[in-house]
Amino acid sequence: MEKMYSPWREVYMESFKDESHPFHPAKDIFTDIPPEQDEERYVLHRAKKSFIIMNLFPYNCGHLMVIPFKQTPELSDLDDTTKLEIMQLTDIGIDALRRTIHPHGFNFGVNVGRVAGGSVDSHIHFHIVPRWEGDTNFMPVVGETKVLSNDMRRLYNELRKAIKEIVQEKAGK
């Protein structure tokens, strides 16, 4: 398989060497983000019970996650207010992606448990993956290489601005 350099994955790979690293599976990488590190850690928006963050290891450009502040592996452990807020933040995230990078569609879902594909199976989180017609092209199919064409920092700034506008619009309704 051909390899394409993705410098943002280096942090993930290094996490397996040092158990004190913030991305080590023994430490909750989602609840240990202080608000003053939001920009550094790509947190886009915080609500009362959950937040939106960019995925540092995206499947596609603009891959977001909606994460409850409560650490639990199970959807059934979340109260109804948190579940509703997660859906509201999902709606905001999708709207922000439509306004900024204009995907043709989305995958939205959750992996419950490691066997389902959950890389952080101790803290439930929801994925919003933007999709474009033809985004599965020859590179991943034949070349077994994924190309991500957006600069994460620039996209973060655009998404954060769009989310702020959307939240203000919804508050005005």
Side-chain angles (χ1 to χ4, degrees), residues 28 30-31 33 43 45-52 67-72 78 82 85-86 123-124:
D28 189 333
F30 299 137
T31 57
I33 303 173
V43 175
H45 178 74
R46 289 177 183 265
K48 291 180 181 173
K49 299 201 170 229
S50 52
F51 62 100
I52 305 172
I67 304 170
F69 289 118
K70 178 180 180 176
Q71 181 182 352
T72 179
L78 300 175
T82 304
E85 186 178 271
I86 287 167
H123 195 146
I124 195 165

Side-chain angles (χ1 to χ4, degrees), residues 50-62:
S50 52
F51 62 100
I52 305 172
I53 188 170
M54 292 179 74
N55 191 320
L56 293 177
F57 314 107
Y59 294 111
N60 269 347
C61 296

Side-chain angles (χ1 to χ4, degrees), residues 12 25 111-122:
Y12 174 73
N111 300 321
V112 179
R114 188 164 301 276
V115 298
S119 57
V120 181
D121 59 353
S122 63

